[in-house]
């Protein structure tokens, strides 16, 4: 079945460092891919999405490109801030229109 | 700014008691999801409705959990009887579209069963 694998956390970086959180997927068909973010004590919120191969999703300085050839959707940000500390979830939409979730990666940014 | 609302935000109860959680999806959305989040299991899909009809509740323990949508503005998740292992954060999410739509999450209900 469809699945999502993302790098284990926590990932700890200093402020202004470059961020990459890896996400790879296995799917039949052509799923849409998503990154959601969960701040402490809150629900998940959509960060960005891409609906077809080579699409780039971007929001709040974060970017991810849908790479069909490597079945990846890695999240990147050029310069992280303390306020980016959160848990990040990669997900894909399956043929039943449900989201298949990765395990989440906790990101800690130190001043 | 339309949002998914959930009540209560926090619930502490004793084992064996009934727990009812409520969700108001974003107006106009036709899909509703119930998730459970724990440290050990991560995010689990419990049930999924489209146009108020249950499409998938395979992730839900049938003997004690039930999910309903009495109308388009209300979804409920009930646990009876509750057990300590049900302690978790329960999220409701809603969406709209023919497929692969974005899900919008509520703030969650944090449940503690003693």
């Amino acid at each position: 079945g469809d699945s999502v694998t993302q790098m284990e956390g926590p990932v700890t970086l200093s402020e202004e460092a470059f961020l990459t959180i890896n996400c790879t997927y296995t799917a039949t068909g052509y799923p849409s891919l998503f990154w959601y973010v969960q701040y402490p004590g809150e629900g998940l919120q959509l960060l960005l999405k891409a609906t077809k191969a080579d699409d780039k999703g971007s929001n709040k300085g974060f970017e991810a490109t849908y790479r069909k050839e490597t079945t990846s959707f890695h999240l990147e940000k050029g310069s992280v801030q303390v306020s980016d500390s959160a848990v990040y979830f990669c997900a894909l939409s399956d043929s039943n229109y449900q989201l298949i979730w990765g395990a989440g990666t906790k990101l800690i940014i130190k001043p | 700014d339309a949002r998914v609302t959930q009540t209560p935000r926090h619930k502490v109860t004793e084992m064996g008691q009934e727990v009812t959680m409520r969700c108001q999806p974003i107006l106009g959305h036709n899909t509703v999801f119930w998730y459970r989040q724990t440290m050990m299991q991560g995010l689990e899909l419990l049930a999924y409705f489209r146009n108020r009809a249950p499409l998938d509740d395979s992730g839900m323990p049938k003997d004690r959990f039930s999910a309903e949508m009495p109308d388009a503005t209300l979804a409920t998740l009930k646990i009876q009887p509750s057990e300590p292992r049900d302690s978790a954060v329960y999220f409701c999410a809603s969406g709209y579209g023919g497929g692969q739509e974005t899900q919008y999450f509520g703030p969650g209900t944090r449940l503690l069963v003693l």
Side-chain angles (χ1 to χ4, degrees), chain A residues 63-84:
Chain A
E63 293 183 339
T65 301
Y66 189 163
R67 302 281 188 203
K68 198 170 190 309
E69 65 276 14
T70 55
T71 62
S72 65
F73 193 55
H74 304 322
L75 182 68
E76 296 182 336
K77 187 176 185 183
S79 176
V80 292
Q81 306 300 314
V82 172
S83 58
D84 294 326

Side-chain angles (χ1 to χ4, degrees), chain B residues 15-64:
Chain B
M15 183 173 63
Q17 296 297 305
E18 178 179 298
V19 175
T20 298
M21 291 170 270
R22 294 177 175 80
C23 167
Q24 182 172 14
I26 292 173
L27 190 65
H29 283 187
N30 66 345
T31 56
V32 172
F33 303 83
W34 282 105
Y35 290 95
R36 176 169 64 185
Q37 186 178 40
T38 61
M39 290 293 291
M40 294 300 294
Q41 300 297 327
L43 199 60
E44 303 172 276
L45 177 68
L46 297 176
Y48 161 42
F49 292 78
R50 185 176 288 271
N51 297 322
R52 295 178 55 202
L55 290 192
D56 186 354
D57 60 1
S58 59
M60 201 164 64
K62 300 291 191 304
D63 55 339
R64 298 183 300 107

Side-chain angles (χ1 to χ4, degrees), chain A residues 32 36 38 44 93 97-98, chain B residues 37 45 56 98-100 103 105:
Chain A
S32 290
Y36 278 77
Q38 184 178 28
L44 283 72
S93 59
Y97 312 129
Q98 298 177 30
Chain B
Q37 186 178 40
L45 177 68
D56 186 354
Q100 304 189 348
Q103 294 183 19
F105 280 72

